[in-house]
Amino acid sequence: MNIKCIIFDMDATLIDSEIALSTTINQARMEANLPPLPSKTILDIINTPSSNALFRLYGVNHITPQMRMRFEELFNANYLKYAQIYDEAKKIMLWAKDKCALAVATNAPQKTLNLVLDNLNLTHFFDFIIGVSEKIPQKPDPTMLNLIKDGVGGECVFLGDSKKDFLAAQNAKMPYIQVLWGRDEIIKECKNCKTSDEVIKFIEQI
């Protein structure tokens, strides 16, 4: 195996956070006097590139510092209550632990990540944990993937669940696997895997 690091997206790849995400966003919508949205609609908006997610979710084009702070408060509370690691992701982590580095690259806010991962007893598995901050933009921008690749000094593979993840990997010139245990969205241009065994077999062949 030539891979130096396996990078996980967080939501719907590493962690089953559907309830946590939909609850957080609908609570924020309620506080903005907007009606709730179905969970599937929320996930489709979040994971679709160029969907103008802020406007579709909250009816605004820009988020204020106060709105960001309130979202993070709700996000933290709901993640601690609802989020769980996927069994398939944990199998990959245990297999890879002594073989290569592990990392998380997510569009979740950077300052909330350790709290979420600590709560699930996952932080110690990862050599890099990178989320969105003032200096690191959201995927499909490749910045966070490139930071990890530079950090390990070698080839990485990125595991995700959305077109944004796929495009980020393309932009970083990195192999990509679309996992289907969180969101069953097939991307024809890349490898799609339903199980951890399929992921491991593909990584071993890279």
Side-chain angles (χ1 to χ4, degrees), residues 62-72 111 134:
H62 303 283
I63 191 167
T64 66
Q66 292 80 9
M67 290 170 66
R68 184 181 300 278
M69 185 179 299
R70 178 56 178 156
F71 179 86
E72 290 175 0
K111 62 183 180 181
E134 290 183 2

Side-chain angles (χ1 to χ4, degrees), residues 38-49 51 56 183 185:
S39 179
K40 184 180 185 307
T41 300
I42 289 172
L43 293 177
D44 287 345
I45 292 171
I46 290 172
N47 289 294
T48 302
S51 69
R56 294 180 66 189
R183 296 174 61 248
E185 178 185 345

Side-chain angles (χ1 to χ4, degrees), residues 2-13:
N2 297 319
I3 293 298
K4 298 293 186 183
C5 183
I6 299 172
I7 307 172
F8 290 83
D9 173 51
M10 188 168 75
D11 299 307
T13 302

